[in-house]
Amino acid sequence: MLTRILSSLLIVVMALTIMRCGEDSNLLTETKKFTSIFDSNQFSEGFSPIDIQQTADGGYVVLGESRLIGTQLTGVYLLKADKYGNFVKFVDADTLNNPVARLSKVADKYYFFCVKNKGTDVHLASFDENLDNFTTTPLGFVNPAASLAIDQGLLLYSVDINGKQSIISLIGLDGSTIKQKGYTIGDGDDSEKPLSEHFLKTGKQFPFDVGMVSPGVYYFNGFYDYTFSLIFTDINGDEPIGIISGQQDDGGFSALTPLSSSKYAAARYNFGDNYFLPNTQIVATENRPGIDLGGLSLPELISETKVKILRSVVKEKNVLIYAADTQTRQIGLYFYDEATGAFIGSKYLGFSNPFTIGNLINTEDGGIAVCGTTYLAGRFPRISIFKLSKEEVASNVK
């Protein structure tokens, strides 16, 4: 159950409609383009977005986390904004902790994974687009790290540190475990220490991920045999069907989006450097070092930045939009031709205050919405939403 609803606590302090010269202000324009920052009068609290989804009424739901004072854990918060970027509702569920990406929309409900009561046990949470009818279901295993909705249900990557296993599971919308397989993370501090620090939020935060390449072929981006690696599996065999190995925990994939059974849009990091791979070939059954894949170096990004990749259609062209954090404390959007991997444009989001990426989505009107964290007075984390119109996105593509 929810512990409290604080709709009066969170207020919109900025809902700027960015206008082109000569345009008249009207409601249609204001749904296409806006920037909203949501502030709190509890200055010691911090809020950071994890994922965003558009609702049937054209508004937005954001899954986020709120800093819990006196602990390294975070509580779950949910934010509803209308199609103009105005605040509608805020739900603070501080008995739920450490939510993980992604926020999955299936029919008229939203799903995510988290833990409860500052523990480690995985719970599946669900709610509707009005942030009502909230339920949580315990799953019987520990430490959720990443998730994704697929046709058969929900994919989950989790880590049993004590059992020394990375686990990939296919979960039903009712919380049932349809299929599950674990793979060794290796014994000893070399693997246990960085994982413990990740989940306690006392150390490096790894870009864990999980997904499906094709029916029956899945992947997780996580720990295997002492190394942060990309692992392919059919969730049946005792060994992975393919391994793209990292550099222990100093290098690996920071984002991955399958484009076909062997073509991917990806990003990787290696000892602090960042590389984009908008058109790379990976065979799910091969074993190779990830460093061999090369990539486009981007020195303007912060070290080991979070990266998000969105497939979109811009000017009738299939486009990949990479989002990452720049050293100027803006959110950089980088556009690539999906067919060729060629760079075709860029745009930077942010002003005065620092901004960092949460995630981005396509919107029903052909634009995109980007959620991120901004820092008021340089140190108070707050959620922001940038809504870019179809025309604005197109203007950044050559």
Side-chain angles (χ1 to χ4, degrees):
M1 296 293 294
L2 298 179
T3 58
R4 51 198 171 117
I5 297 178
L6 303 178
S7 59
S8 62
L9 175 65
L10 203 66
I11 59 174
V12 178
V13 296
M14 186 178 297
L16 301 177
T17 302
I18 305 171
M19 307 296 295
R20 289 185 179 179
C21 181
E23 281 188 334
D24 294 327
S25 177
N26 60 70
L27 293 179
L28 178 60
T29 299
E30 290 175 7
T31 65
K32 291 182 177 180
K33 302 168 63 174
F34 61 78
T35 299
S36 295
I37 297 174
F38 302 87
D39 195 15
S40 167
N41 59 12
Q42 301 295 314
F43 296 112
S44 61
E45 295 191 348
F47 306 92
S48 299
I50 293 173
D51 204 358
I52 184 171
Q53 289 282 354
Q54 191 167 28
T55 55
D57 60 8
Y60 303 91
V61 168
V62 175
L63 167 67
E65 55 188 1
S66 58
R67 186 172 56 206
L68 297 180
I69 305 302
T71 175
Q72 298 296 335
L73 300 176
T74 59
V76 169
Y77 76 76
L78 302 170
L79 171 70
K80 173 69 183 290
D82 67 16
K83 60 185 178 181
Y84 306 107
N86 297 317
F87 169 76
V88 174
K89 187 176 181 180
F90 174 77
V91 172
D92 185 349
D94 61 0
T95 60
L96 301 180
N97 311 119
N98 291 7
V100 299
R102 303 177 180 85
L103 177 62
S104 296
K105 182 179 180 181
V106 181
D108 58 351
K109 297 192 73 173
Y110 298 81
Y111 299 84
F112 67 93
F113 293 94
C114 59
V115 298
K116 194 170 185 178
N117 296 325
K118 301 178 182 178
T120 60
D121 292 346
V122 180
H123 284 68
L124 173 62
S126 66
F127 60 94
D128 63 27
E129 69 172 31
N130 296 314
L131 310 190
D132 293 326
N133 299 313
F134 201 98
T135 65
T136 60
T137 304
L139 301 190
F141 37 100
V142 297
N143 294 327
S147 67
L148 175 70
I150 59 175
D151 290 342
Q152 301 94 321
L154 302 166
L155 276 177
L156 173 68
Y157 169 64
S158 59
V159 182
D160 183 349
I161 299 176
N162 292 331
K164 300 176 176 56
Q165 285 194 318
S166 278
I167 299 171
I168 183 170
S169 309
L170 178 56
I171 306 295
L173 297 180
D174 60 354
S176 60
T177 301
I178 300 170
K179 211 172 187 181
Q180 185 177 84
K181 197 66 184 178
Y183 299 96
T184 180
I185 63 173
D187 294 330
D189 286 347
D190 286 346
S191 54
E192 292 178 19
K193 185 173 184 292
L195 283 167
S196 295
E197 290 177 345
H198 171 92
F199 290 109
L200 292 174
K201 299 187 182 297
T202 58
K204 180 176 179 177
Q205 298 297 286
F206 291 95
F208 294 128
D209 199 4
V210 67
M212 183 175 76
V213 179
S214 58
V217 180
Y218 309 91
Y219 67 85
F220 66 83
N221 195 41
F223 271 83
Y224 173 75
D225 195 19
Y226 303 99
T227 301
F228 186 69
S229 300
L230 176 63
I231 303 300
F232 294 94
T233 173
D234 57 9
I235 320 186
N236 287 316
D238 291 334
E239 298 295 331
I241 60 176
I243 304 168
I244 311 298
S245 59
Q247 300 286 314
Q248 294 184 323
D249 62 355
D250 293 310
F253 285 93
S254 45
L256 189 78
T257 297
L259 306 178
S260 69
S261 61
S262 60
K263 182 180 175 181
Y264 294 79
R268 67 178 187 87
Y269 68 94
N270 191 60
F271 290 92
D273 295 329
N274 302 288
Y275 302 89
F276 287 177
L277 300 86
N279 187 347
T280 191
Q281 298 292 317
I282 301 175
V283 178
T285 55
E286 67 183 355
N287 295 338
R288 63 187 293 193
I291 195 172
D292 289 352
L293 295 171
L296 309 168
S297 176
L298 283 91
E300 70 176 80
L301 303 181
I302 65 171
S303 177
E304 298 185 7
T305 179
K306 179 190 291 186
V307 179
K308 298 295 181 178
I309 303 172
L310 178 68
R311 299 179 77 179
S312 191
V313 177
V314 183
K315 296 197 291 192
E316 300 183 352
K317 177 186 294 186
N318 291 329
V319 169
L320 301 167
I321 307 175
Y322 281 66
D325 301 332
T326 71
Q327 296 199 41
T328 58
R329 304 305 300 273
Q330 295 175 295
I331 298 172
L333 301 180
Y334 305 89
F335 299 81
Y336 296 87
D337 186 318
E338 182 178 307
T340 65
F343 175 73
I344 52 179
S346 61
K347 181 177 179 62
Y348 298 89
L349 305 177
F351 46 87
S352 63
N353 303 317
F355 286 80
T356 59
I357 184 64
N359 205 359
L360 70 166
I361 58 170
N362 294 304
T363 56
E364 293 178 354
D365 62 3
I368 64 172
V370 182
C371 68
T373 303
T374 189
Y375 296 84
L376 299 185
R379 60 194 179 97
F380 300 114
R382 298 292 186 262
I383 183 174
S384 60
I385 299 176
F386 294 89
K387 173 61 174 67
L388 280 64
S389 69
K390 178 180 180 179
E391 295 76 18
E392 188 175 9
V393 173
S395 70
N396 295 281
V397 173
K398 298 175 184 177

